[in-house]
Amino acid sequence: MTRSVTSKSLRCSQVFRFIYHILGTGTWEQRKFSELFFKSKLKNNSLFSSDKIISVATMTWKKPDASRSSDDYMKTYNIAKMGDIVFEGHTTKEFANGRFVENTLGDGIVSHIFDVYSPVMKLDLFYWKYFIHNERSIGPLLKRSTTNARMMSNLVERDVLKQFLPVPSSTEQSSIGHMLHLIDNLIAANEQVPKLVIKIVKNSHVNLLLFN
């Protein structure tokens, strides 16, 4: 009997680990983090109101807190544009040194406790959404770039900027990102898809090798 797989137990982050394994990184270019991202210093100088506060944990618009919606307090927020990545320092069993979350929601603001990094160039939104949030691909980088406090990791800018990441070509990024986005939608629509997901991943991998 086939076990039902829910969207919680089969997420694109898991599928990405599978893709990361079958593709490997032998042909991927090693790029310095500073060649891809820079730390954003943009503060919310009355540009965004409280209805544009982003919940980093869920990547959704956060319900405004009336007690923290004064004009002066809103100026303490950092601006996070679409495609920016936000460092969330809470440590968990899954993310030992915190995690990066890409802003796929839209231009908005996040609490000043979050560090925001903006892309140096245009990057594939969906590819980086999954890659930058994957513990296998980013965990070692964060381990070398964070200091630990109680239940929280702090990202050290000078350390993270000198780290290296394996980066596929723009064509590969687009292909992988598009595939993962389709899988995410498929999982949301139909929970019983483990074999179908693996088939899509394998077929897409073959096409990627043959036609790119």
Side-chain angles (χ1 to χ4, degrees):
M1 181 177 180
T2 302
R3 181 172 62 89
S4 174
V5 178
T6 67
S7 58
K8 289 184 179 179
S9 61
L10 178 60
R11 300 305 304 164
C12 272
S13 59
Q14 294 173 284
V15 177
F16 190 95
R17 285 197 291 272
F18 177 73
I19 293 175
Y20 193 85
H21 173 71
I22 62 176
L23 287 180
T25 59
T27 60
W28 291 5
E29 182 182 2
Q30 293 292 320
R31 300 287 299 276
K32 209 169 185 179
F33 193 91
S34 61
E35 296 175 0
L36 301 167
F37 298 96
F38 65 93
K39 187 172 182 180
S40 173
K41 309 291 185 180
L42 296 177
K43 285 292 185 179
N44 182 41
N45 293 320
S46 302
L47 184 62
F48 295 100
S49 58
S50 59
D51 63 335
K52 288 297 182 180
I53 298 175
I54 297 172
S55 168
V56 176
T58 60
M59 197 43 60
T60 57
W61 299 117
K62 195 172 183 179
K63 186 177 180 180
D65 183 348
S67 65
R68 293 188 172 186
S69 297
S70 67
D71 291 341
D72 286 341
Y73 191 83
M74 295 302 296
K75 290 179 182 180
T76 68
Y77 280 76
N78 295 326
I79 291 177
K81 296 181 179 180
M82 174 80 86
D84 286 353
I85 58 174
V86 183
F87 179 70
E88 201 272 323
H90 288 96
T91 58
T92 64
K93 184 177 180 180
E94 183 179 3
F95 300 103
N97 299 283
R99 59 178 179 153
F100 276 119
V101 181
E102 186 185 46
N103 178 10
T104 58
L105 190 60
D107 293 355
I109 51 177
V110 296
S111 171
H112 65 277
I113 68 172
F114 298 113
D115 292 328
V116 178
Y117 284 79
S118 299
V120 173
M121 67 203 78
K122 186 176 181 180
L123 298 173
D124 187 84
L125 191 69
F126 292 126
Y127 173 80
W128 286 93
K129 170 185 176 181
Y130 300 111
F131 179 80
I132 207 70
H133 190 253
N134 184 265
E135 178 69 4
R136 178 174 176 179
S137 55
I138 300 299
L141 176 150
L142 291 178
K143 186 176 182 180
R144 297 189 295 267
S145 308
T146 53
T147 57
N148 294 323
R150 186 177 181 182
M151 301 297 290
M152 178 76 72
S153 288
N154 298 313
L155 189 64
V156 181
E157 181 183 0
R158 66 177 181 275
D159 290 336
V160 72
L161 290 178
K162 66 184 180 183
Q163 302 302 319
F164 284 84
L165 290 173
V167 181
S169 68
S170 296
T171 301
E172 288 175 316
Q173 288 182 42
S174 179
S175 298
I176 296 171
H178 179 67
M179 175 178 58
L180 289 174
H181 183 57
L182 290 176
I183 291 172
D184 218 3
N185 290 337
L186 181 62
I187 292 172
N190 187 343
E191 295 180 349
Q192 299 182 28
V193 293
K195 292 183 179 179
L196 182 57
V197 166
I198 298 301
K199 183 178 180 180
I200 291 173
V201 171
K202 288 183 176 179
N203 288 343
S204 297
H205 175 50
V206 171
N207 290 335
L208 193 65
L209 294 177
L210 290 177
F211 301 111
N212 293 289

